[in-house]
Amino acid sequence: LHRVDRRQRQMCIRDSFKENHGMSGARQISFEDAPFSAIHKKITAGTFMGQISDGYTLGIVGISLNYAMEPLGLTSFWMGLIGAGSMFGIFFGSLLAGITADKIGRRPLYASLMLLTAIVSVLQFFLSDPLLIAIVRFVLGMLIGADYTVGIPLLSEWAPAKKRAGILGWLLVFWTIGYCISYIVGFFMDGFVAAFGNDGWRLVLCTSVVPSLIALVIRFGTPESPLWHIAKGRPQEALANIHAYLGNQYGLPDRGEEKPASTSWFALFAPEQWRNTVVSGVFFFAQVLPFFAISIFLPLVLTKMNIQNPNASGVLYNVFTLIGVLVGLWIYGIATRRAYLLWTFYVSAAILTVMILWTSMSPLVALIMITAFALVLAASIVPEFSYPAELFPTELRGSGVGLTIAISRFGAGGGTFLLPIVSEQFGIHMALWCCVITLLFGGIICHMWAPETSGRGKK
């Protein structure tokens, strides 16, 4: 009886597949043209909450180190290494998860990553050795990198075609919300830190367990991507998922009788693809180096720029960071991709150059300049989770996004590790000059090779 029942289900799937391809009856509507429904809301909410968790987990280390510096006797080396641990972890996590997600699917990793993040977040409370803390932050980075690489393709491949760009654009908004909340929560936990004495920094650091558990609950029961099933040559399974979550009136997208495409990592550097791969990695790298280097060690940067009450000013900086992302999201929706990339690189480099050269500016002017820099730099990161997904075909999207995030971690990790060291050895202005050079490098590469993927500005 079990075999008969299974055979009947398989026959139903095949019959539905034939109908979808005009073999019997009318062709169905592509699932990519379905209205925004319950399954879209679930995956969107789960991915957005994952971004809040990822941003919070990365951001909380900065202010935690500010509290832990004296109890642990941290030098600039250990400050940089612990701060950069997550960034370097993201490099390996995104590479491994990208290849894995393209091989076995997005679904197996989607919820489990949040569970592991929650467990490792709690583990931080029991550590005192700076080396062990750096190792655990590295592991957390691997989980965050894997989540970027799995969540973005899954959301991109389920989202309705007409809403896809807008939904992906909001990913960075929610990541920034999590990042900014971490700083604000850490700042306002000052009283709790004092109550716990030398162990107060532990409480701040492990608060990242809260958003990761919320994301885990939302993600539970998420289905596999239909486009991944199609890319692996399994259209029947894709169709079964579409019918189960969207209805029988929706079917597969009309893309012809394509054979399963190669998912080889080397396909990212094929003649027709390598420029997109380079642009994807370089623009992400050039944006995150100054973003994380300045944001994570913001109290240090503000103090060295003679701004009074650096913690309160840091809260203001993060508020303007969030505003910048929201403004950037609006501009991103009406501008061409190329134009947006170029102006954010060049304007942020110009503001930072003025801040470096105008050494006699008053603390008030310095605060105004750094908030303006926060606005533009925050706006610049809006394309980071949407543009790479547009640069790679389905069969390479997981690997392409994973490689992009891995490349970017050289910038995020290198900037975070080196800023306190360079600042101590050569002064804060030398550290900021490195950020300017990186921004200009990103702008020039995008000027040469960045393709227009929005459909606007094309002849």
Side-chain angles (χ1 to χ4, degrees), residues 146-221:
D147 187 57
Y148 289 162
T149 307
V150 172
I152 296 171
L154 182 64
L155 178 59
S156 171
E157 292 163 10
W158 263 106
K162 292 181 179 179
K163 294 181 177 292
R164 186 174 296 142
I167 292 173
L168 293 177
W170 277 92
L171 285 169
L172 249 298
V173 174
F174 283 92
W175 183 93
T176 307
I177 289 173
Y179 193 86
C180 294
I181 288 175
S182 71
Y183 194 96
I184 296 170
V185 167
F187 174 68
F188 285 105
M189 285 184 70
D190 191 66
F192 290 97
V193 172
F196 274 78
N198 289 340
D199 292 328
W201 62 271
R202 305 174 188 273
L203 180 64
V204 177
L205 192 58
C206 72
T207 53
S208 56
V209 67
V210 176
S212 60
L213 287 177
I214 296 173
L216 172 63
V217 172
I218 298 173
R219 291 183 174 193
F220 185 78

Side-chain angles (χ1 to χ4, degrees), residues 168-173 175-176 180 283 287-288 290-291 295 317-333 335-348 351 370-387 439:
L168 293 177
W170 277 92
L171 285 169
L172 249 298
V173 174
W175 183 93
T176 307
C180 294
F283 102 85
Q287 286 173 346
V288 297
F291 184 90
S295 298
Y317 178 94
N318 280 278
V319 168
F320 274 90
T321 295
L322 181 55
I323 294 172
V325 170
L326 292 172
V327 172
L329 183 63
W330 173 71
I331 298 174
Y332 190 64
T336 64
R337 299 290 192 261
R338 275 181 55 83
Y340 190 92
L341 290 172
L342 297 180
W343 81 261
T344 51
F345 273 123
Y346 294 147
V347 172
S348 54
I351 294 174
I370 201 165
T371 51
F373 178 71
L375 278 170
V376 179
L377 189 63
S380 74
I381 68 175
V382 167
E384 288 178 359
F385 288 162
S386 58
Y387 191 53
L439 289 167

Side-chain angles (χ1 to χ4, degrees), residues 202-331:
R202 305 174 188 273
L203 180 64
V204 177
L205 192 58
C206 72
T207 53
S208 56
V209 67
V210 176
S212 60
L213 287 177
I214 296 173
L216 172 63
V217 172
I218 298 173
R219 291 183 174 193
F220 185 78
T222 300
E224 185 56 83
S225 158
L227 292 181
W228 179 81
H229 274 138
I230 295 171
K232 302 302 287 185
R234 291 149 60 180
Q236 293 94 337
E237 295 175 51
L239 194 59
N241 261 354
I242 292 168
H243 288 174
Y245 291 97
L246 294 176
N248 292 335
Q249 69 271 35
Y250 296 104
L252 306 180
D254 186 10
R255 296 181 178 176
E257 298 294 329
E258 297 179 357
K259 295 180 179 179
S262 170
T263 58
S264 170
W265 191 83
F266 295 101
L268 295 171
F269 300 95
E272 69 279 5
Q273 183 63 42
W274 72 267
R275 287 183 180 82
N276 284 12
T277 301
V278 171
V279 167
S280 189
V282 168
F283 102 85
F284 211 147
F285 167 94
Q287 286 173 346
V288 297
L289 188 150
F291 184 90
F292 282 108
I294 294 174
S295 298
I296 287 182
F297 294 108
L298 190 59
L300 173 66
V301 174
L302 294 176
T303 299
K304 289 182 177 291
M305 294 186 70
N306 299 318
I307 295 177
Q308 297 179 344
N309 197 344
N311 285 333
S313 299
V315 172
L316 182 64
Y317 178 94
N318 280 278
V319 168
F320 274 90
T321 295
L322 181 55
I323 294 172
V325 170
L326 292 172
V327 172
L329 183 63
W330 173 71
I331 298 174

